Amino acid sequence: MVSRARGPERFRVVGGARLAGEVRVTGAKNSVLKTMAAALLAQGRTTLTGVPRIYDTEVMSELLRRLGCDVTYDQQAATVVVDVPEVLGHKADYDLVRRIRASICVLGPLIARCGQAEVAMPGGDQIGSRPLDFHIAGLSKLGASLDSEHGFIVASAPDGLTGATVWLDFPSVGATENVLMSAVLARGTTVIDNAAREPEIVDLVQMLQQMGAKIDGGGTSTLTIEGVDRLSPTTHAIVPDRIVAGTWAFAAAMTRGDVTVHNARPEHLEIALDKLANAGAEVHGVEDGFRVVMDRRPSAVDAVTLPYPGLATDLQPLVMALNAVADGAAMITENIFEGRFVFANELVRLGAHVRTDGHHAVVRGLPRLSGAPVRASDIRAGAALTLAGLVAEGVTYVSDIYHVDRGYPGFDEQLRELGADVSREPDPDAAFEG
Ligand code: UD1
């Protein structure tokens, strides 16, 4: 089981590590939940492989079970089998949806399959305002009527959905996914303009195509979808997690280490790896991934987060942590989630010189940070603080690591395998009762 079952825990991180060795990345968290939701679109058994052993997968499994699916999640084999009945339930309850924001992605498939859906408003990371207006506008364009009632989004399309042109104001990943998953079973043609181009969208498009959907333009800003009457179940291997792979790349550079990352796609991390090269790291391709070697203090690197193929917002805390120990000063601009800078306050507790102003942060690097108790505010902040602890003098305690467990299966085990002194222990000061 994942950590919530064990009660509040923290990481004890001893500073002064140089990470060296090999790690293997699993399928992407940001893909598995969407592809599990996509399984709802076809009656029968859909199999997903490369599934990460994380809390979110368990919550999504439970959510699909409550909709009437038979879900077998084999953590050892990294496989999920979703057996979807002909007649599905259409209500996704708050007690599950609030735990993972990505569960909002059942909205599109449920409207498409059932002609109705009631999905609780989601929770998820504390990283700023995360509205759903693009999802609602897009699904309305396809003919669904949507309302919010008692904390639920209540949607109906009793006569089915009809293809339309949907312009997204911003290339939102979640909105692109929801509109895409409803359009595949709509009557006629849907065009999604200004669509998100993330590799996880391409992964979803490929899975839907295997199920029989007619989609053109995956990985571009214009998706064209020709609706079909029904889809068939499939077997699909989840795309490797580029954010986890990127985290290991930054970990190697920050600790002046040498880490080979297997099952990773460097082409999904071009800007991030280029930043590391500018910081002074050597980045080499290997057969199924890449290797990052750093033999000196990193140089400061400016960074701007943008929709893919720009630098991922999920890697921004890692860039900030790297700059905290770099030679020089850097400007970081966060364009996706302003709340992500909450993390900067925790980094400052480790002695980092960071000043934020709106979307911008200026980081002046120090040779070493100074160990202290800190709190993870979201998944990536938790990973970045743990790595910052490795380049701090003394001991750092990272609380609220249930966030880290949501994105990084066995993070502490992998760090130990790379030579770090990181242990997991009960958190005596825990505010979270999980
Ligand atoms: C975002 C990231 C994605 C990452 C995921 C998990 C981007 C573009 N998306 O996806 O790469 O994997 O978090 O951390 O980097 N927005 C609205 N209205 C909406 C939907 C979104 O205003 O209806 C805004 C959001 O507030 C945000 C931006 O659009 O500023 C991008 O949101 P979106 O891509 O939908 O977020 P996620 O799907 O969570």
Short mmCIF file of all heavy atoms in Angstrom, two decimals, residues 29-30 34 101 125 127 129-136 170-175 177 198 200 242-243 306-308 312-314 335-337 340 380, ligand 1:
data_model
loop_
_atom_site.label_atom_id
_atom_site.label_comp_id
_atom_site.label_asym_id
_atom_site.label_seq_id
_atom_site.Cartn_x
_atom_site.Cartn_y
_atom_site.Cartn_z
N LYS A 29 2.38 9.50 -14.25
CA LYS A 29 1.21 9.76 -13.41
C LYS A 29 0.18 10.57 -14.19
O LYS A 29 -1.02 10.29 -14.12
CB LYS A 29 1.65 10.54 -12.17
CG LYS A 29 0.55 11.27 -11.47
CD LYS A 29 1.09 12.12 -10.35
CE LYS A 29 0.04 13.01 -9.74
NZ LYS A 29 -0.40 14.09 -10.63
N ASN A 30 0.64 11.57 -14.92
CA ASN A 30 -0.30 12.46 -15.60
C ASN A 30 -0.92 11.80 -16.83
O ASN A 30 -1.75 12.41 -17.49
CB ASN A 30 0.38 13.77 -15.97
CG ASN A 30 0.68 14.60 -14.73
OD1 ASN A 30 -0.01 14.47 -13.72
ND2 ASN A 30 1.72 15.41 -14.80
N LYS A 34 -5.68 9.61 -16.86
CA LYS A 34 -6.48 9.97 -18.03
C LYS A 34 -6.78 8.73 -18.88
O LYS A 34 -7.88 8.58 -19.42
CB LYS A 34 -5.78 11.01 -18.90
CG LYS A 34 -4.99 12.07 -18.13
CD LYS A 34 -5.83 12.83 -17.12
CE LYS A 34 -5.01 13.77 -16.25
NZ LYS A 34 -4.39 14.88 -16.93
N ARG A 101 -7.23 15.75 -8.29
CA ARG A 101 -7.87 16.67 -9.22
C ARG A 101 -8.08 16.04 -10.59
O ARG A 101 -9.09 16.31 -11.25
CB ARG A 101 -6.97 17.91 -9.36
CG ARG A 101 -7.54 18.92 -10.28
CD ARG A 101 -6.60 20.02 -10.62
NE ARG A 101 -7.11 20.65 -11.83
CZ ARG A 101 -8.11 21.52 -11.85
NH1 ARG A 101 -8.68 21.92 -10.75
NH2 ARG A 101 -8.54 22.01 -13.00
N ASP A 125 -3.54 19.25 -5.78
CA ASP A 125 -2.43 20.03 -5.23
C ASP A 125 -2.85 21.43 -4.83
O ASP A 125 -3.72 22.03 -5.43
CB ASP A 125 -1.34 20.20 -6.30
CG ASP A 125 -0.65 18.91 -6.62
OD1 ASP A 125 -0.85 17.95 -5.87
OD2 ASP A 125 0.07 18.89 -7.62
N ILE A 127 -1.70 24.34 -5.56
CA ILE A 127 -0.77 25.16 -6.35
C ILE A 127 -1.50 26.26 -7.09
O ILE A 127 -1.22 26.54 -8.23
CB ILE A 127 0.12 24.32 -7.30
CG1 ILE A 127 -0.72 23.43 -8.21
CG2 ILE A 127 1.10 23.50 -6.52
CD1 ILE A 127 0.14 22.69 -9.23
N SER A 129 -4.94 28.75 -8.20
CA SER A 129 -6.29 28.64 -8.72
C SER A 129 -6.31 27.70 -9.93
O SER A 129 -5.53 27.84 -10.85
CB SER A 129 -6.72 30.06 -9.11
OG SER A 129 -7.48 30.04 -10.28
N ARG A 130 -7.18 26.72 -9.89
CA ARG A 130 -7.25 25.78 -11.00
C ARG A 130 -8.71 25.66 -11.44
O ARG A 130 -9.38 24.70 -11.11
CB ARG A 130 -6.68 24.42 -10.58
CG ARG A 130 -5.22 24.48 -10.23
CD ARG A 130 -4.68 23.14 -9.83
NE ARG A 130 -3.86 22.57 -10.87
CZ ARG A 130 -3.19 21.42 -10.75
NH1 ARG A 130 -3.27 20.70 -9.67
NH2 ARG A 130 -2.46 20.97 -11.74
N PRO A 131 -9.19 26.61 -12.21
CA PRO A 131 -10.60 26.60 -12.59
C PRO A 131 -10.94 25.55 -13.65
O PRO A 131 -10.05 24.91 -14.20
CB PRO A 131 -10.83 28.01 -13.13
CG PRO A 131 -9.50 28.51 -13.54
CD PRO A 131 -8.48 27.77 -12.74
N LEU A 132 -12.25 25.42 -13.92
CA LEU A 132 -12.71 24.41 -14.89
C LEU A 132 -13.49 25.04 -16.03
O LEU A 132 -14.17 24.34 -16.78
CB LEU A 132 -13.63 23.40 -14.17
CG LEU A 132 -12.96 22.56 -13.09
CD1 LEU A 132 -14.00 21.78 -12.29
CD2 LEU A 132 -11.95 21.60 -13.71
N ASP A 133 -13.38 26.37 -16.17
CA ASP A 133 -14.23 27.05 -17.16
C ASP A 133 -13.98 26.57 -18.59
O ASP A 133 -14.92 26.45 -19.38
CB ASP A 133 -14.10 28.58 -17.05
CG ASP A 133 -12.66 29.07 -17.01
OD1 ASP A 133 -11.78 28.27 -16.61
OD2 ASP A 133 -12.41 30.22 -17.38
N PHE A 134 -12.75 26.23 -18.95
CA PHE A 134 -12.49 25.76 -20.32
C PHE A 134 -13.12 24.40 -20.56
O PHE A 134 -13.61 24.10 -21.66
CB PHE A 134 -10.98 25.66 -20.61
CG PHE A 134 -10.20 26.91 -20.38
CD1 PHE A 134 -8.83 26.84 -20.10
CD2 PHE A 134 -10.78 28.17 -20.44
CE1 PHE A 134 -8.09 27.98 -19.88
CE2 PHE A 134 -10.04 29.33 -20.21
CZ PHE A 134 -8.68 29.23 -19.93
N HIS A 135 -13.09 23.56 -19.53
CA HIS A 135 -13.72 22.24 -19.66
C HIS A 135 -15.22 22.43 -19.94
O HIS A 135 -15.79 21.81 -20.83
CB HIS A 135 -13.61 21.43 -18.36
CG HIS A 135 -12.21 21.19 -17.86
ND1 HIS A 135 -11.70 19.93 -17.68
CD2 HIS A 135 -11.23 22.04 -17.49
CE1 HIS A 135 -10.46 20.02 -17.21
NE2 HIS A 135 -10.16 21.29 -17.08
N ILE A 136 -15.81 23.32 -19.13
CA ILE A 136 -17.27 23.50 -19.21
C ILE A 136 -17.66 24.14 -20.54
O ILE A 136 -18.58 23.68 -21.22
CB ILE A 136 -17.73 24.33 -17.98
CG1 ILE A 136 -17.59 23.42 -16.75
CG2 ILE A 136 -19.16 24.83 -18.14
CD1 ILE A 136 -17.72 24.11 -15.43
N PHE A 170 -6.63 28.90 -23.67
CA PHE A 170 -5.27 28.55 -23.24
C PHE A 170 -5.14 27.05 -23.50
O PHE A 170 -6.12 26.32 -23.34
CB PHE A 170 -5.14 28.87 -21.74
CG PHE A 170 -3.77 28.69 -21.19
CD1 PHE A 170 -2.85 29.73 -21.20
CD2 PHE A 170 -3.38 27.47 -20.66
CE1 PHE A 170 -1.57 29.56 -20.69
CE2 PHE A 170 -2.11 27.30 -20.15
CZ PHE A 170 -1.20 28.36 -20.16
N PRO A 171 -3.96 26.57 -23.89
CA PRO A 171 -3.85 25.13 -24.19
C PRO A 171 -3.84 24.28 -22.92
O PRO A 171 -2.82 23.70 -22.53
CB PRO A 171 -2.52 25.04 -24.95
CG PRO A 171 -1.74 26.24 -24.55
CD PRO A 171 -2.72 27.32 -24.23
N SER A 172 -4.99 24.24 -22.27
CA SER A 172 -5.14 23.50 -21.01
C SER A 172 -5.09 22.00 -21.28
O SER A 172 -5.80 21.49 -22.16
CB SER A 172 -6.48 23.89 -20.39
OG SER A 172 -7.01 22.84 -19.63
N VAL A 173 -4.27 21.31 -20.49
CA VAL A 173 -4.15 19.86 -20.66
C VAL A 173 -5.48 19.18 -20.31
O VAL A 173 -6.02 18.39 -21.07
CB VAL A 173 -3.00 19.32 -19.76
CG1 VAL A 173 -2.96 17.81 -19.77
CG2 VAL A 173 -1.67 19.90 -20.21
N GLY A 174 -6.01 19.53 -19.12
CA GLY A 174 -7.23 18.87 -18.66
C GLY A 174 -8.41 19.13 -19.59
O GLY A 174 -9.19 18.22 -19.89
N ALA A 175 -8.57 20.38 -20.05
CA ALA A 175 -9.71 20.71 -20.91
C ALA A 175 -9.57 19.99 -22.26
O ALA A 175 -10.55 19.47 -22.81
CB ALA A 175 -9.81 22.21 -21.10
N GLU A 177 -8.15 17.17 -22.79
CA GLU A 177 -8.46 15.75 -22.56
C GLU A 177 -9.97 15.51 -22.44
O GLU A 177 -10.51 14.58 -23.04
CB GLU A 177 -7.75 15.26 -21.29
CG GLU A 177 -6.26 15.14 -21.49
CD GLU A 177 -5.46 15.08 -20.20
OE1 GLU A 177 -5.99 15.46 -19.13
OE2 GLU A 177 -4.29 14.68 -20.25
N GLU A 198 1.07 18.30 -24.94
CA GLU A 198 1.91 17.52 -24.03
C GLU A 198 2.02 16.06 -24.48
O GLU A 198 1.08 15.51 -25.06
CB GLU A 198 1.29 17.55 -22.62
CG GLU A 198 1.77 18.66 -21.70
CD GLU A 198 1.31 20.06 -22.06
OE1 GLU A 198 0.63 20.22 -23.09
OE2 GLU A 198 1.62 21.00 -21.32
N GLU A 200 1.60 13.54 -22.82
CA GLU A 200 0.51 12.75 -22.22
C GLU A 200 -0.76 12.86 -23.07
O GLU A 200 -1.59 11.95 -23.07
CB GLU A 200 0.24 13.22 -20.78
CG GLU A 200 1.40 12.97 -19.81
CD GLU A 200 2.56 13.94 -19.97
OE1 GLU A 200 2.33 15.10 -20.39
OE2 GLU A 200 3.71 13.54 -19.67
N ARG A 242 7.88 11.90 -17.85
CA ARG A 242 8.96 12.86 -18.18
C ARG A 242 9.28 13.73 -16.97
O ARG A 242 10.40 14.23 -16.85
CB ARG A 242 8.57 13.71 -19.40
CG ARG A 242 7.44 14.65 -19.16
CD ARG A 242 6.86 15.22 -20.45
NE ARG A 242 5.51 15.72 -20.17
CZ ARG A 242 5.23 17.00 -19.97
NH1 ARG A 242 6.16 17.91 -20.08
NH2 ARG A 242 3.99 17.37 -19.70
N ILE A 243 8.32 13.94 -16.09
CA ILE A 243 8.60 14.80 -14.93
C ILE A 243 9.49 14.05 -13.93
O ILE A 243 10.43 14.62 -13.36
CB ILE A 243 7.29 15.28 -14.27
CG1 ILE A 243 6.37 15.96 -15.30
CG2 ILE A 243 7.61 16.20 -13.10
CD1 ILE A 243 6.95 17.17 -15.98
N LEU A 306 6.12 27.23 -19.48
CA LEU A 306 5.15 27.44 -20.55
C LEU A 306 4.50 26.10 -20.88
O LEU A 306 5.04 25.05 -20.55
CB LEU A 306 5.86 27.96 -21.81
CG LEU A 306 6.27 29.44 -21.81
CD1 LEU A 306 7.17 29.73 -23.01
CD2 LEU A 306 5.03 30.34 -21.84
N PRO A 307 3.35 26.13 -21.57
CA PRO A 307 2.79 24.86 -22.04
C PRO A 307 3.82 24.13 -22.91
O PRO A 307 4.68 24.78 -23.53
CB PRO A 307 1.59 25.29 -22.88
CG PRO A 307 1.22 26.64 -22.36
CD PRO A 307 2.50 27.27 -21.93
N TYR A 308 3.72 22.81 -22.98
CA TYR A 308 4.63 22.02 -23.80
C TYR A 308 4.61 22.51 -25.24
O TYR A 308 3.54 22.83 -25.74
CB TYR A 308 4.19 20.55 -23.74
CG TYR A 308 5.19 19.60 -24.34
CD1 TYR A 308 6.25 19.12 -23.60
CD2 TYR A 308 5.06 19.19 -25.67
CE1 TYR A 308 7.18 18.25 -24.16
CE2 TYR A 308 5.99 18.32 -26.23
CZ TYR A 308 7.05 17.86 -25.48
OH TYR A 308 7.96 17.01 -26.03
N ALA A 312 8.24 22.57 -18.39
CA ALA A 312 7.05 22.16 -17.63
C ALA A 312 6.99 22.86 -16.28
O ALA A 312 7.99 22.94 -15.56
CB ALA A 312 7.08 20.65 -17.42
N THR A 313 5.81 23.35 -15.93
CA THR A 313 5.60 23.95 -14.60
C THR A 313 5.97 22.96 -13.50
O THR A 313 6.45 23.35 -12.44
CB THR A 313 4.14 24.45 -14.45
OG1 THR A 313 3.96 24.91 -13.12
CG2 THR A 313 3.12 23.37 -14.71
N ASP A 314 5.76 21.68 -13.76
CA ASP A 314 6.09 20.67 -12.74
C ASP A 314 7.59 20.59 -12.46
O ASP A 314 7.99 20.06 -11.43
CB ASP A 314 5.60 19.28 -13.21
CG ASP A 314 4.11 19.10 -12.99
OD1 ASP A 314 3.45 20.06 -12.56
OD2 ASP A 314 3.59 18.01 -13.26
N ASN A 335 4.46 30.80 -15.37
CA ASN A 335 3.31 31.27 -16.14
C ASN A 335 2.07 30.41 -16.01
O ASN A 335 1.01 30.76 -16.53
CB ASN A 335 3.68 31.32 -17.63
CG ASN A 335 4.59 32.47 -17.94
OD1 ASN A 335 4.35 33.59 -17.49
ND2 ASN A 335 5.66 32.21 -18.68
N ILE A 336 2.17 29.25 -15.36
CA ILE A 336 1.03 28.33 -15.35
C ILE A 336 0.28 28.38 -14.01
O ILE A 336 -0.93 28.62 -13.99
CB ILE A 336 1.47 26.87 -15.66
CG1 ILE A 336 2.42 26.82 -16.86
CG2 ILE A 336 0.25 25.98 -15.88
CD1 ILE A 336 1.84 27.18 -18.20
N PHE A 337 0.98 28.15 -12.91
CA PHE A 337 0.33 28.13 -11.60
C PHE A 337 1.09 29.03 -10.63
O PHE A 337 2.15 28.66 -10.12
CB PHE A 337 0.30 26.71 -11.02
CG PHE A 337 -0.55 25.76 -11.81
CD1 PHE A 337 0.01 24.63 -12.41
CD2 PHE A 337 -1.91 25.98 -11.97
CE1 PHE A 337 -0.77 23.75 -13.14
CE2 PHE A 337 -2.70 25.10 -12.70
CZ PHE A 337 -2.13 23.99 -13.29
N ARG A 340 2.57 27.97 -7.16
CA ARG A 340 3.76 27.11 -7.06
C ARG A 340 4.87 27.78 -6.26
O ARG A 340 5.74 27.10 -5.71
CB ARG A 340 4.29 26.79 -8.46
CG ARG A 340 3.61 25.60 -9.09
CD ARG A 340 4.64 24.53 -9.44
NE ARG A 340 4.14 23.19 -9.24
CZ ARG A 340 3.61 22.42 -10.19
NH1 ARG A 340 3.48 22.88 -11.40
NH2 ARG A 340 3.22 21.21 -9.89
N ARG A 380 5.76 18.11 -6.49
CA ARG A 380 7.09 18.49 -7.01
C ARG A 380 7.86 19.28 -5.97
O ARG A 380 9.09 19.17 -5.90
CB ARG A 380 6.95 19.29 -8.30
CG ARG A 380 6.01 18.68 -9.32
CD ARG A 380 6.39 17.26 -9.72
NE ARG A 380 5.28 16.62 -10.42
CZ ARG A 380 5.24 15.34 -10.75
NH1 ARG A 380 6.23 14.52 -10.42
NH2 ARG A 380 4.19 14.84 -11.38
C1 UD1 B 1 -1.17 21.11 -15.61
C2 UD1 B 1 -0.01 21.26 -16.60
C3 UD1 B 1 0.42 19.87 -17.00
C4 UD1 B 1 0.78 19.09 -15.76
C5 UD1 B 1 -0.38 19.08 -14.74
C6 UD1 B 1 -0.02 18.42 -13.44
C7 UD1 B 1 0.35 22.99 -18.28
C8 UD1 B 1 -0.23 23.76 -19.41
N1 UD1 B 1 -0.44 22.04 -17.74
O1 UD1 B 1 -2.23 20.43 -16.25
O2 UD1 B 1 1.51 19.93 -17.90
O3 UD1 B 1 1.10 17.79 -16.09
O4 UD1 B 1 -0.76 20.42 -14.46
O5 UD1 B 1 0.67 19.26 -12.60
O6 UD1 B 1 1.47 23.21 -17.90
N2 UD1 B 1 -7.13 26.89 -16.69
C9 UD1 B 1 -8.22 27.73 -16.67
N3 UD1 B 1 -9.45 27.18 -16.89
C10 UD1 B 1 -9.64 25.85 -17.12
C11 UD1 B 1 -8.51 25.01 -17.13
C12 UD1 B 1 -7.27 25.57 -16.91
O7 UD1 B 1 -8.10 28.94 -16.48
O8 UD1 B 1 -10.80 25.42 -17.32
C13 UD1 B 1 -5.79 27.47 -16.47
C14 UD1 B 1 -5.16 26.96 -15.18
O9 UD1 B 1 -5.50 27.71 -14.07
C15 UD1 B 1 -3.70 27.05 -15.50
C16 UD1 B 1 -3.65 26.75 -17.00
O10 UD1 B 1 -4.94 27.03 -17.49
O11 UD1 B 1 -3.21 28.33 -15.29
C17 UD1 B 1 -3.22 25.33 -17.36
O12 UD1 B 1 -4.11 24.43 -16.78
P1 UD1 B 1 -4.25 22.92 -17.25
O13 UD1 B 1 -3.27 22.61 -18.31
O14 UD1 B 1 -5.67 22.63 -17.50
O15 UD1 B 1 -3.87 22.19 -15.93
P2 UD1 B 1 -3.74 20.67 -15.76
O16 UD1 B 1 -4.57 19.89 -16.68
O17 UD1 B 1 -3.85 20.46 -14.29
#
